[in-house]
Amino acid sequence: MAQAAAQADKSPVVSITGLHKSFGELEVLKGISFSAREGEVVSLIGSSGSGKSTLLRCINMLEVPDRGTVMIDGEEIALRGAGSRRHIADEGQIRRIRSELGMVFQSFNLWAHMTILENVMEAPLIVQRRQRAEVEQQALETLDKVGIRDKAGSYPNQLSGGQQQRAAIARALCINPRVMLFDEPTSALDPELQVEVLRVIKVLADEGRTMILVTHDMDFARSISDRVIFLHQGLIEEEGAPEEVFGATKSARLKQFLNASHHP
Ligand code: ADP
Ligand code: MG
């Protein structure tokens, strides 16, 4: 109980309030609020086009929301202007905050002309200006952790998709992020390669990392999440612990979505 109270007192690592986002006439996010506490794994699920990626991209301001706020570790990201003209107010702040967010996309986005080790070391050296020897040691340890240390000297096109995605995870980890953001990290992979990536993400969850994960894999969301959020037409339609959301589903739309996902 004492521990739960202490946990509740902490300010969340990520806190989103009243997020709205439109692309032209299309209103994608219609008022989204949620937070992720230290060590929490939050999964975002919902049908294609429901705004999951847009929501995740608003957390690091790859998309600037029209309304609403994003706070990282209690610090609000400063925005200026209104509606579609809203923009980042402080480039220095966003650079600093982005360097605390480890983002892993569906496509791996590794630099083709750099080795895997160079890819992983790039941001710690250039953005964070850390010492090369220390960064290299952490990079090799992290590659070891994701099971591809033997690929350190290889180029991305010499790796399988699953290995490339594990390299992308290692790269995100090496900035020592406050939170890891995953957008459908396995959806570009063949099923047998998905397993190795999911296993790595599970290890990170078990270590107590704070993570927000968009996934189409309901079994994985169920096994890994502390909390699951179902997005539907720009709003949170249902939210709760996995056993509630999957085991005692309330929303008819979520029931329909879950039935459809089991029979692709
Ligand atoms: P999801 O990740 O849940 O599939 P997205 O967030 O990618 O959904 O997209 C939600 C809706 O917003 C979709 O209709 C998509 O076409 C649209 N959309 C996303 N990004 C843009 C953009 N940059 N410009 C215009 N429309 C966009
Ligand atoms: Mg998406």
Side-chain angles (χ1 to χ4, degrees):
M1 285 305 275
Q3 207 179 347
Q7 185 74 11
D9 280 350
K10 272 198 222 158
S11 77
V13 178
V14 177
S15 176
I16 287 166
T17 313
L19 223 61
H20 289 251
K21 179 70 183 176
S22 296
F23 295 108
E25 295 292 292
L26 180 68
E27 192 179 12
V28 177
L29 305 178
K30 301 178 182 170
I32 302 277
S33 302
F34 77 91
S35 56
R37 287 193 307 275
E38 181 92 52
E40 212 178 7
V41 179
V42 178
S43 290
L44 303 174
I45 62 171
S47 52
S48 175
S50 60
K52 304 178 300 295
S53 294
T54 303
L55 176 55
L56 207 64
R57 290 163 60 81
C58 282
I59 296 175
N60 57 8
M61 296 293 156
L62 291 175
E63 298 289 354
V64 175
D66 303 331
R67 269 195 280 161
T69 57
V70 175
M71 304 221 304
I72 307 294
D73 268 330
E75 178 182 353
E76 182 176 334
I77 300 180
L79 298 174
R80 192 181 291 152
S84 60
R85 306 245 285 270
R86 208 158 177 235
H87 60 277
I88 288 162
D90 179 348
E91 288 295 335
Q93 183 201 34
I94 197 68
R95 258 198 308 278
R96 175 167 50 77
I97 286 181
R98 277 195 189 131
S99 81
E100 297 177 356
L101 306 172
M103 180 99 192
V104 177
F105 299 92
Q106 182 177 327
S107 54
F108 326 122
N109 296 322
L110 297 166
W111 295 111
H113 64 285
M114 290 183 189
T115 65
I116 296 305
L117 183 62
E118 286 165 354
N119 265 280
V120 172
M121 291 176 64
E122 164 88 357
L125 287 180
I126 306 299
V127 182
Q128 299 182 321
R129 298 168 186 276
R130 286 159 51 195
Q131 292 295 319
R132 175 169 289 275
E134 177 247 334
V135 168
E136 180 165 345
Q137 187 184 344
Q138 185 186 9
L140 289 170
E141 282 167 12
T142 309
L143 287 173
D144 195 34
K145 174 181 213 153
V146 303
I148 54 167
R149 186 175 174 138
D150 58 324
K151 302 293 180 191
S154 303
Y155 287 86
N157 67 6
Q158 298 172 304
L159 271 60
S160 73
Q163 290 168 334
Q164 288 186 55
Q165 189 61 303
R166 285 183 283 151
I169 293 171
R171 181 181 53 180
L173 286 171
C174 273
I175 65 171
N176 298 319
R178 286 290 288 134
V179 55
M180 288 286 283
L181 308 173
F182 291 95
D183 191 355
E184 307 230 26
T186 61
S187 58
L189 302 174
D190 294 337
E192 69 272 22
L193 300 182
Q194 292 183 12
V195 178
E196 60 192 37
V197 173
L198 295 176
R199 199 181 295 132
V200 166
I201 298 172
K202 182 74 167 74
V203 167
L204 302 179
D206 292 344
E207 284 176 1
R209 284 184 182 271
T210 312
M211 313 210 285
I212 301 175
L213 169 80
V214 173
T215 182
H216 61 279
D217 185 331
M218 294 306 126
D219 292 331
F220 187 60
R222 186 173 193 149
S223 75
I224 199 174
S225 311
D226 297 303
R227 201 144 45 84
V228 177
I229 293 176
F230 172 57
L231 283 189
H232 181 75
Q233 294 180 353
L235 289 168
I236 295 178
E237 166 86 5
E238 185 160 342
E239 158 172 25
E243 43 290 6
E244 297 162 13
V245 166
F246 296 115
T249 313
K250 293 193 275 291
S251 149
R253 282 158 180 159
L254 176 54
K255 281 182 190 158
Q256 199 177 12
F257 170 75
L258 291 175
N259 280 331
S261 350
H262 283 295
H263 311 284

